[in-house]
Amino acid sequence: MTSSPQEEPITIVPDFLKETLKKFPTREAYGEWDQQTNSWRSVTWSEFAEELLKWRKALQASNIKPGDRAAVLLPNSIDSALADQAILGNGCVPVPLHAVDTPASSAYIINNSEASILFVPKTLRWNAMVSACDSFPNLKLVVVVKEDTLEHAENSPVPIVTLKDWLKAGEKETLTKPKISPGDLACVVYTSGTTGNPKGVMLTHRNIVSNVQGCGQVIDINHNDVYLSFLPFSHTFERTVTYYLAICTGAKVTFSRGVLKLAEDLQQVKPTIFISVPRVYEQFHSKFLAKIAEQGSMKKALAALNNSLGRFFCALELPLRQGYGLTETSPVVSVAVVGNNNPVTVGNPLPNVQVRIDDAGELQIKAPSVMKGYWKLPEATKEVFTEDGWFKTGDLAD
């Protein structure tokens, strides 16, 4: 993943796509389930880039300027990747919304981030937000991605348009190349605490690029790999280790149809990489044990396995790599590597990440991937950094 002498070093997120497009224009970039044909469909990197140009022109035609925030409430899909890359490519700042959030919470994030544009799958999602909060003072436009008509739009306080009409409005636009610096914001990701409103974590281009590159040094991924994307893009883990790392390496990402189809999708897509959280692996573990229990003969052999999920998957010779991270660290801090994959640990720190443990046992981080701070919360930002600049995770370690 190091740059060759002919390549310019990558310092901003859109450069990942720029370089991969040069190397692998005809290779498949993304795959998703097509409801109309009832089959999987794919696009190449060049086809994706061609469609991306239309999105960027439409965004510029909407008077969304560099630095403006753009809220995205879309399921993982080719459209959600287009939205994110268009926003970043135009020097704007993505604000991913959580699909499972309440309408009131989504409305709060839109207003708190002062988002200028919102992408939603259907008008009903927008209507629910309007019912929860009738004032969106900074929002200029709502783009409905999955509908060709707006017959369900009800008394929208903000102009609303279908994706088809939005793209058409930008066709004659002459795209202007924005100036993007490594220290500019590349996203504001909201993470909820135990009390109060969610906080917006400000991640810069430098933060994300450094984390992607750090992951790439310890995880063997290349353009022949295939991801099955399951976690939402509002989850920084998925955003960095699946979505951006795939763009960086040229790997293909196929978007899962959701939790109910996950097992079937795994069988059909046959991914070489699957990124998830412990709860999903626990479900796989439970279903596997239930299936084996039906057969009876192997029940005693499996009962001898350590209860650790990591040991379970290693015993099946499935290369499960555990890791640790936080939204505030873009997110990966550590990951187990080949030859040192102890299933009871979270691995070693990435090459560009420093860690230390204070006298109270708290893990602290210093790295180029550590966030710029919390959006509009300078005091909260100050509280999570030590006087010598280390990020206080709040987690105990040994």
Side-chain angles (χ1 to χ4, degrees), residues 5-259:
Q6 292 77 29
E7 295 176 350
E8 294 182 2
I10 291 177
T11 59
I12 60 174
V13 178
D15 284 348
F16 288 138
L17 178 59
K18 180 181 176 182
E19 291 302 317
T20 290
L21 185 60
K22 290 179 185 177
K23 297 175 184 176
F24 312 114
T26 61
R27 293 189 69 91
E28 292 184 344
Y30 296 107
E32 67 181 9
W33 185 258
D34 189 325
Q35 296 284 1
Q36 294 183 337
T37 63
N38 204 35
S39 63
W40 295 98
R41 77 178 186 97
S42 299
V43 296
T44 65
W45 288 109
S46 61
E47 289 169 340
F48 179 80
E50 183 178 349
E51 189 66 19
L52 177 60
L53 181 60
K54 300 175 185 177
W55 281 66
R56 291 188 59 190
K57 287 183 175 181
L59 194 63
Q60 181 175 290
S62 301
N63 198 31
I64 309 300
K65 297 180 171 26
D68 285 354
R69 273 71 61 204
V72 182
L73 179 56
L74 296 174
N76 290 16
S77 61
I78 295 173
D79 283 336
S80 61
L82 285 166
D84 187 70
Q85 289 298 309
I87 294 164
L88 288 168
N90 282 23
C92 304
V93 184
V95 180
L97 300 180
H98 310 291
V100 296
D101 257 357
T102 64
S105 180
S106 295
Y108 170 81
I109 292 173
I110 291 169
N111 283 339
N112 183 258
S113 67
E114 300 175 358
S116 299
I117 189 170
L118 167 67
F119 296 91
V120 293
K122 297 183 179 182
T123 53
L124 291 178
R125 293 302 296 267
W126 170 238
N127 292 343
M129 292 182 220
V130 172
S131 296
C133 176
D134 58 5
S135 178
F136 296 85
N138 298 287
L139 204 56
K140 298 177 182 177
L141 184 67
V142 175
V143 180
V144 179
V145 173
K146 297 296 184 182
E147 294 177 349
D148 290 332
T149 64
L150 299 174
E151 59 183 285
H152 299 295
E154 301 172 0
N155 303 319
S156 176
V158 178
I160 184 169
V161 65
T162 64
L163 175 64
K164 181 180 178 181
D165 290 341
W166 183 68
L167 293 175
K168 186 175 182 180
E171 287 178 348
K172 296 181 180 180
E173 194 80 6
T174 299
L175 194 61
T176 301
K177 183 179 180 180
K179 182 179 180 180
I180 307 172
S181 299
D184 292 343
L185 290 185
C187 62
V188 179
V189 180
Y190 280 76
T191 178
S192 58
T194 54
T195 60
N197 290 317
K199 297 190 295 288
V201 176
M202 297 187 291
L203 300 178
T204 66
H205 286 266
R206 181 183 293 110
N207 291 155
I208 294 173
V209 168
S210 69
N211 206 238
V212 170
Q213 292 175 334
C215 289
Q217 291 181 55
V218 297
I219 304 174
D220 185 18
I221 297 175
N222 60 47
H223 60 276
N224 293 313
D225 281 304
V226 177
Y227 283 89
L228 181 65
S229 177
F230 170 70
L231 297 177
F233 282 173
S234 57
H235 197 299
T236 312
F237 184 34
E238 183 76 4
R239 196 173 185 81
T240 296
V241 185
T242 293
Y243 172 45
Y244 291 135
L245 186 54
I247 298 177
C248 175
T249 58
K252 179 182 177 181
V253 175
T254 299
F255 299 109
S256 171
R257 288 172 286 179
V259 63

Side-chain angles (χ1 to χ4, degrees), residues 322-381:
Q322 296 190 79
Y324 166 80
L326 308 94
T327 302
E328 289 89 342
T329 56
S330 300
V332 181
V333 171
S334 65
V335 66
V337 299
V338 174
N340 187 24
N341 188 19
N342 187 335
V344 299
T345 74
V346 292
N348 294 324
L350 296 184
N352 55 3
V353 173
Q354 299 178 66
V355 300
R356 73 182 185 187
I357 300 174
D358 72 359
D359 293 339
E362 181 185 36
L363 180 65
Q364 299 178 350
I365 312 293
K366 180 175 280 189
S369 58
V370 174
M371 68 170 182
K372 183 175 182 178
Y374 296 115
W375 176 259
K376 297 196 295 187
L377 293 172
E379 290 303 316
T381 299

